[in-house]
Amino acid sequence: MTQQTRNRLIAVVSLLVAGAGLSLVAFGNIGENLVYYWRPSEMMAQGEKAYGPTIRLGGQVQPGSIQWNEQHTTLHFRVMDSEEPGAANVLVRTTEVPPQMFRERIGVVVEGTYDASQVFQGSRLMVNHSNEYRAPKTDDDVKKMFEDMQKQEATTAAARTP
């Protein structure tokens, strides 16, 4: 066997192996392992197709919707598309302790399943936050930042009180 024939044989076998692997991925049951990312309006538009599969639901926490029960560690809140009147929203129930930054109007991604009772059962709760830090430039900026933090803590504490 010549060097050229051997190289062609290796190339053909490599292409066949790569093709078989690609076919396995394309036609196998990989669809069962997909996690969809939908906003509330997109998920509700799917109808019964949304019931059952694992979904990542993304949006903002609707103001006035947070209900935290410390004794049973259950959290109920609504995720909305936007703050416009009539925007789509979905009720979320999770038994996870919310992250420290969790509050009204913050961006969230909740992983879980949607059921026929129109409740999204969350198994993982993540909040969106900026990764930029800007140091305060003046004493007034520091005071304002401290006041904002106190207001945020008071709002969060009031929301968690049953």
Side-chain angles (χ1 to χ4, degrees), residues 130-136 145:
S130 173
N131 61 354
E132 292 182 23
Y133 172 74
R134 294 182 188 167
M145 181 179 69

Side-chain angles (χ1 to χ4, degrees), residues 12 19 24-25 27 46 64 74 79 85-86 92 97 106 109 113 131 154 157:
V12 168
L24 179 66
V25 169
F27 300 111
Q46 296 296 319
T74 56
V79 174
V92 175
V97 176
I106 194 166
V109 176
T113 57
N131 61 354

Side-chain angles (χ1 to χ4, degrees), residues 6-144:
R6 189 171 135 242
N7 287 344
R8 284 184 184 166
L9 183 62
I10 290 172
V12 168
V13 169
S14 298
L15 286 173
L16 288 173
V17 169
L22 183 60
S23 297
L24 179 66
V25 169
F27 300 111
N29 291 334
I30 196 165
E32 294 175 7
N33 295 324
L34 292 177
V35 176
Y36 298 102
Y37 176 84
W38 285 333
R39 300 192 57 76
S41 59
E42 295 169 332
M43 186 177 72
M44 292 183 341
Q46 296 296 319
E48 290 185 15
K49 181 182 176 187
Y51 302 152
T54 301
I55 298 169
R56 286 193 176 166
L57 177 66
Q60 287 183 318
V61 176
Q62 185 174 11
S65 69
I66 299 173
Q67 297 174 356
W68 169 246
N69 183 335
E70 281 188 46
Q71 291 143 344
H72 299 291
T73 61
T74 56
L75 174 66
H76 293 85
F77 62 96
R78 291 193 167 276
V79 174
M80 61 183 180
D81 273 347
S82 67
E83 292 193 44
E84 296 175 9
N89 64 71
V90 174
L91 179 63
V92 175
R93 179 186 181 278
T94 183
T95 56
E96 267 200 21
V97 176
Q100 189 174 10
M101 293 180 63
F102 183 77
R103 64 183 184 278
E104 296 177 348
R105 291 189 174 93
I106 194 166
V108 294
V109 176
V110 186
E111 188 172 312
T113 57
Y114 192 52
D115 59 31
S117 66
Q118 308 293 310
V119 176
F120 190 86
Q121 301 293 332
S123 59
R124 185 173 176 200
L125 174 61
M126 300 166 274
V127 296
N128 296 342
H129 58 85
S130 173
N131 61 354
E132 292 182 23
Y133 172 74
R134 294 182 188 167
K137 295 181 180 172
T138 65
D139 287 342
D140 290 337
D141 290 342
V142 173
K143 288 176 187 175
K144 184 179 181 321

